[in-house]
Amino acid sequence: MPVGSACGKIILFGEHAVVYGRPALAVPLSQIRARATVVARAKDGIVIHARDLGRDIVVNDALVEDALAAITRLTLEKHGAAENLDITVESDIPLASGLGSGAAISTAIVRALSTYFEKVLAPAEISALVYETEKMYHGTPSGIDNTVIAYEQAVRFRRGTPLPEITPFQIARPFTLVIANTGIASPTKITVGDVRRGWEQEPARYEKIFDNIAAIVEQAQEALARGENEMLGELMTLNQRELVALGVSSREIENLLEAGLRAGAGGGKLSGGGRGGNVIFYVEEERAEEVRRAVLEAGAAGVILTRVV
Ligand code: MEV
């Protein structure tokens, strides 16, 4: 049975500022994934069975802004294909939590359909298709989510015209991240929209914050390349301060950050759109378990430990 799968993602440094042309660093989160399967349908039409959303989407009847129907239509157009199909999607990636669930589900559908029609698409082509649906989730997406997920590798991303700059970045020494879920679903479209309104009202203040974030990204990239991982925690905490200034943190995020830092994390920040979703902590391996326990006690809805290599 043709199957497509796609990883989640973590933005290490630079979210929100990346929408305004600053660089950001993101890595794939391969241990949680979205999956899609495609089979021929005995009856007419194309139906997407979205198990996690508890709904079936009839592609021909779906609204234009339905992202799952849209990615299906776009991929079929790309392949010049038309057939009756049942597409089933499921995902381990919590929805609206900053881990790229939307882009991952779309990527899994593109991959499963491409396998079904025996077409091979390059990561850049998959990324471009998924970007079209990211606009439905995000409003004005930078393109970082679809890029890191379609390439499934660490990327430094910078928006550009006509094409973004996508470069791999070096991680000289692997490190451990604790990822803690606030349990609060927070659609990226809303935080991205709020930051845009703030920027329109106070452009100079926001541009300064974006520049500060860009400087942190540069320092982090150098530290990663030199294997100076002990700097990452502090840089995350500095990045978090700028995210607070952008208004995308929340009481729940700060609560988890405080608990993790008290338990010995080297630093931490929200990751993704903010106001909910996930926070990440840089931790020395031997502290990871303690930090995990502390954030669970502080109310985290779930915790993932991952090695970034
Ligand atoms: C979302 O994962 C990251 C944001 O920077 C939005 C974007 O880049 O499209 C908040």
Side-chain angles (χ1 to χ4, degrees):
M1 197 192 304
V3 179
S5 122
C7 61
K9 70 97 205 335
I10 306 161
I11 298 188
L12 294 178
F13 296 95
E15 51 273 273
H16 286 291
V18 69
V19 175
Y20 298 81
R22 275 48 167 208
L25 304 178
V27 291
L29 182 58
S30 298
Q31 70 215 66
I32 52 172
R33 306 190 72 86
R35 279 168 296 275
T37 53
V38 179
V39 292
R41 179 176 165 82
K43 296 186 214 152
D44 276 354
I46 302 172
V47 181
I48 304 170
H49 307 278
R51 288 197 178 145
D52 309 300
L53 305 176
R55 63 188 184 112
D56 289 339
I57 302 156
V58 179
V59 171
N60 275 344
D61 301 344
L63 298 173
V64 201
E65 60 270 22
D66 184 302
L68 299 191
I71 194 65
T72 302
R73 286 194 202 103
L74 284 168
T75 312
L76 292 174
E77 265 167 39
K78 173 107 186 155
H79 294 325
E83 252 184 54
N84 298 325
L85 300 168
D86 276 308
I87 303 172
T88 304
V89 293
E90 57 188 358
S91 174
D92 317 324
I93 309 167
L95 294 172
S97 72
L99 300 181
S101 61
I105 291 170
S106 293
T107 303
I109 292 178
V110 176
R111 288 189 174 140
L113 284 170
S114 303
T115 307
Y116 183 87
F117 290 107
E118 296 179 356
K119 307 269 184 185
V120 178
L121 292 183
E125 291 176 290
I126 298 175
S127 182
L129 284 173
V130 175
Y131 182 65
E132 293 307 311
T133 58
E134 282 292 280
K135 291 182 196 163
M136 296 170 179
Y137 290 113
H138 283 197
T140 54
S142 63
I144 190 169
D145 288 17
N146 45 286
T147 301
V148 66
I149 289 169
Y151 286 78
E152 199 159 343
Q153 67 180 48
V155 290
R156 173 192 162 102
F157 179 94
R158 186 172 203 149
R159 248 183 142 162
T161 322
L163 291 175
E165 268 173 41
I166 302 163
T167 36
F169 66 89
Q170 205 196 337
I171 299 170
R173 279 202 300 130
F175 61 92
T176 301
L177 282 182
V178 174
I179 306 166
N181 193 346
T182 60
I184 294 170
S186 173
T188 311
K189 202 170 185 162
I190 294 179
T191 51
V192 167
D194 286 352
V195 171
R196 181 155 302 268
R197 270 183 290 281
W199 173 72
E200 281 163 0
Q201 280 162 17
E202 294 179 276
R205 186 167 90 81
Y206 277 69
E207 286 292 327
K208 176 82 179 81
I209 298 172
F210 299 147
D211 284 342
N212 293 345
I213 293 176
I216 294 167
V217 169
E218 299 301 348
Q219 288 179 60
Q221 190 176 351
E222 277 169 33
L224 283 161
R226 287 200 298 258
E228 292 168 359
N229 290 356
E230 55 292 345
M231 285 178 66
L232 297 177
E234 197 188 320
L235 289 169
M236 280 183 189
T237 298
L238 287 175
N239 193 158
Q240 172 64 17
R241 263 187 224 153
E242 302 297 336
L243 290 162
V244 169
L246 288 180
V248 294
S249 193
S250 67
R251 195 168 44 79
E252 293 80 4
I253 289 172
E254 296 303 326
N255 179 36
L256 291 187
L257 285 173
E258 206 184 301
L261 294 177
R262 231 185 297 122
K269 61 185 274 293
L270 68 86
S271 181
R275 296 252 180 86
N278 279 271
V279 301
I280 58 172
F281 295 97
Y282 171 80
V283 292
E284 295 297 339
E285 180 118 48
E286 58 277 12
R287 293 286 177 101
E289 203 37 53
E290 227 166 297
V291 172
R292 192 178 78 87
R293 225 174 308 123
V295 290
L296 281 172
E297 264 166 34
V303 179
I304 299 171
L305 261 58
T306 195
R307 241 1 229 163
V308 181
V309 292

